[in-house]
Amino acid sequence: MDTGRYFRAGDRAELANDGVDRTIDLAPFVGTWINTMRDTQGFAKLIVSNRDGKLFVQAFAAAGPDLCDWGEVEANGFADRVDSRKGAGFGAHYDTESIEVAFQANMNLGLLVLLTFNRFRDGSNRANYICREFFHR
Amino acid sequence: MKGAQKMTFRDFTSVVDYRTREANSGPSRVDPSPFAGTWVNTNDSAPHRIAKLVMTVRDGILMVHVWGFCEPDACDWGEAPAEVYADSINSQTAMSFTATFDFGFMETHLQTNLKRGTMVIATANKFSDLSGRSDYYTREFFYQIDDHSF
């Protein structure tokens, strides 16, 4: 039985190798997500969409009276196991040249839990930092 | 606010970032030393688990050496440099790191954070070998041990 190459025992799976597309179900992520903290100073809203089987994230940050639209980037959906097709989390990456922000999102009890890894590249001496926030639909 | 005109709205992810940039002075390097040492998985039954990490600081860079759970012997992933993050923009206390391992057939991205002495590691695993396996996500917990025996 071909189980594929692996660096963890759990990555072995009976491989179909039949050329059938087994994309991850992205439906659990799709929608408009609002930060549970109304006075957040981080990301206030996410719009997650599925177009032609590709996942996209549009993030809006709190920065004064209005939200700042960070634009849309393509995201990668992840299942919770190698043999599962159910979407359990996604990752995305923004790069504005002055700051890189990596998104690590996972679903938990109806919430979208977002961990952002913020890396400054603008020479401002601000510390790279992480932030964890929660979003509801 | 001095210099505010030079910034675009995507130079910061929060209002705090924006204000701090104007006020900040001097180097702000996150100290990676809280991660140095050997960390082992709290769950010894999960087949997808990372079994152990050994982290060292060399020339100020956090190096992460990972072993995945395999039988009969652990799978040595080798070592990769990590990017270290603080818990806030004004802090130099390490709270998190990221690192990437590229195995050729799969890329694993580690994203971690410290919480009450426990290190939480999320892995995003993306296959490129057309094997039909799903890209998948894990979340595991680790505690630090004193020596390097395992």
Side-chain angles (χ1 to χ4, degrees):
Chain A
M1 180 179 74
D2 182 8
T3 58
R5 296 179 63 196
Y6 65 95
F7 274 82
R8 275 176 290 194
D11 287 350
R12 290 175 296 184
E14 189 170 356
L15 306 181
N17 287 323
D18 55 7
V20 175
D21 182 20
R22 292 182 176 81
T23 53
I24 293 167
D25 176 15
L26 304 175
F29 312 128
V30 172
T32 298
W33 297 88
I34 306 297
N35 198 312
T36 56
M37 286 184 58
R38 291 175 178 230
D39 60 347
T40 180
Q41 294 191 324
F43 287 107
K45 183 173 79 170
L46 306 173
I47 297 176
V48 184
S49 54
N50 177 358
R51 291 201 302 275
D52 301 326
K54 291 186 175 181
L55 192 67
F56 294 90
V57 179
Q58 185 175 9
F60 297 84
D66 301 315
L67 297 181
C68 292
D69 183 353
W70 274 53
E72 190 177 65
V73 293
E74 188 171 348
N76 293 311
F78 296 93
D80 57 356
R81 299 191 314 271
V82 291
D83 57 353
S84 170
R85 302 294 162 187
K86 183 182 177 185
F90 67 82
H93 186 257
Y94 280 97
D95 185 352
T96 72
E97 295 188 354
S98 59
I99 182 172
E100 288 182 40
V101 183
F103 280 19
Q104 172 203 303
N106 66 282
M107 311 301 297
N108 193 356
L109 301 174
L111 288 175
L112 187 152
V113 184
L114 177 67
L115 197 56
T116 60
F117 297 79
N118 303 275
R119 182 168 173 247
F120 293 102
R121 300 167 57 196
D122 59 356
S124 63
N125 293 324
R126 292 178 288 184
N128 299 335
Y129 73 100
I130 62 167
C131 183
R132 191 163 181 240
E133 297 177 285
F134 301 85
F135 294 78
H136 64 82
R137 283 189 190 274
Chain B
M1 185 177 293
K2 183 182 176 184
Q5 300 88 334
K6 297 176 184 174
M7 297 182 72
T8 68
F9 64 83
R10 298 204 315 170
D11 285 344
F12 50 93
T13 61
S14 80
V15 177
V16 175
D17 299 359
Y18 179 80
R19 292 178 185 141
T20 306
R21 177 163 122 163
E22 299 308 307
N24 216 1
S25 62
S28 181
R29 187 170 183 80
V30 181
D31 174 18
S33 60
F35 289 110
T38 300
W39 298 77
V40 295
N41 201 313
T42 59
N43 182 354
D44 59 6
S45 62
H48 291 97
R49 70 182 182 273
I50 288 173
K52 180 177 76 165
L53 303 94
V54 174
M55 288 185 273
T56 53
V57 179
R58 290 205 299 271
D59 300 326
I61 305 295
L62 183 67
M63 302 298 296
V64 183
H65 196 155
V66 176
W67 284 264
F69 167 71
C70 293
E71 291 177 319
D73 300 314
C75 289
D76 187 347
W77 292 18
E79 193 176 59
E83 186 78 36
V84 181
Y85 298 82
D87 56 351
S88 76
I89 197 166
N90 293 313
S91 173
Q92 294 184 353
T93 303
M95 187 72 173
S96 167
F97 72 82
T98 59
T100 300
F101 289 85
D102 188 348
F103 303 111
F105 66 96
M106 178 183 77
E107 186 176 88
T108 295
H109 191 57
L110 269 60
Q111 295 174 316
T112 76
N113 62 288
L114 286 174
K115 194 169 187 179
R116 298 184 178 178
T118 300
M119 183 165 64
V120 185
I121 299 184
T123 69
N125 306 278
K126 195 168 173 59
F127 290 97
S128 56
D129 61 356
L130 304 178
S131 62
R133 290 177 285 189
S134 292
D135 298 339
Y136 74 99
Y137 168 91
T138 64
R139 195 158 179 257
E140 302 173 283
F141 300 86
F142 294 80
Y143 62 94
Q144 197 163 19
I145 60 175
D146 291 333
D147 62 23
H148 287 212
S149 61
F150 182 70

